[in-house]
């Protein structure tokens, strides 16, 4: 199943929230972070659950499946690299974060890997400071 850009954003946010709090992620947390309605999150979670990317617990806790975690980590790695590179070039952090969010979805895996290797070789790489 091909996942849409918005689905990738939801998976990335679930990963960020899990890493940040270490606690269960709830739809209301995702809605607050992404500034979307709870109804939008509900629809997205249904689609992600049907695609095998997330699981919902009895108390509606959201967790990533192995497949979901792998995709979320890939998107998040892209986000970190692009935002770090843009910041290192002097782009304002807020602008860099927004632009990185758009860029993370656009490149092929091959192009991203080539850019990643180039930037890492030249001392620019992902950091955890951008969460």
């Amino acid at each position: 199943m091909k996942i849409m850009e918005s689905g990738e954003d939801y998976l990335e946010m679930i990963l960020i929230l899990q890493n940040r709090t270490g606690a269960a992620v709830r739809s209301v947390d995702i809605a607050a972070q992404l500034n979307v309605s709870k109804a939008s999150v509900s629809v997205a979670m249904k689609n992600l659950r049907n695609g095998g990317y997330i699981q919902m617990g009895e108390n509606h806790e959201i967790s990533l499946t192995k497949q979901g975690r792998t995709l979320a980590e890939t998107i998040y790695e892209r986000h970190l690299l692009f935002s770090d590179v843009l910041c290192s070039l002097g782009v304002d952090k807020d602008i860099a974060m927004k632009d990185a969010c758009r860029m993370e979805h656009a490149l092929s895996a091959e192009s991203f890997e080539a850019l990643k290797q180039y930037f890492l070789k030249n001392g620019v790489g992902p950091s955890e400071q951008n969460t």
Side-chain angles (χ1 to χ4, degrees), residues 41-79:
V41 175
S42 179
V43 169
M45 294 306 106
K46 178 181 177 190
N47 291 336
L48 292 172
R49 188 177 62 243
N50 289 342
Y53 296 101
I54 65 165
Q55 295 175 332
M56 301 285 286
E58 285 185 24
N59 294 322
H60 303 285
E61 304 101 359
I62 300 164
S63 61
L64 297 166
T65 63
K66 183 177 180 185
Q67 177 184 8
R69 178 168 287 282
T70 298
L71 182 54
E73 288 173 345
T74 298
I75 297 301
Y76 190 49
E77 177 187 31
R78 289 172 173 232
H79 184 95

Side-chain angles (χ1 to χ4, degrees), residues 78-95:
R78 289 172 173 232
H79 184 95
L80 292 174
L81 178 72
F82 291 137
S83 60
D84 280 356
V85 168
L86 292 171
C87 285
S88 74
L89 295 171
V91 176
D92 175 79
K93 183 177 179 179
D94 290 336
I95 293 171

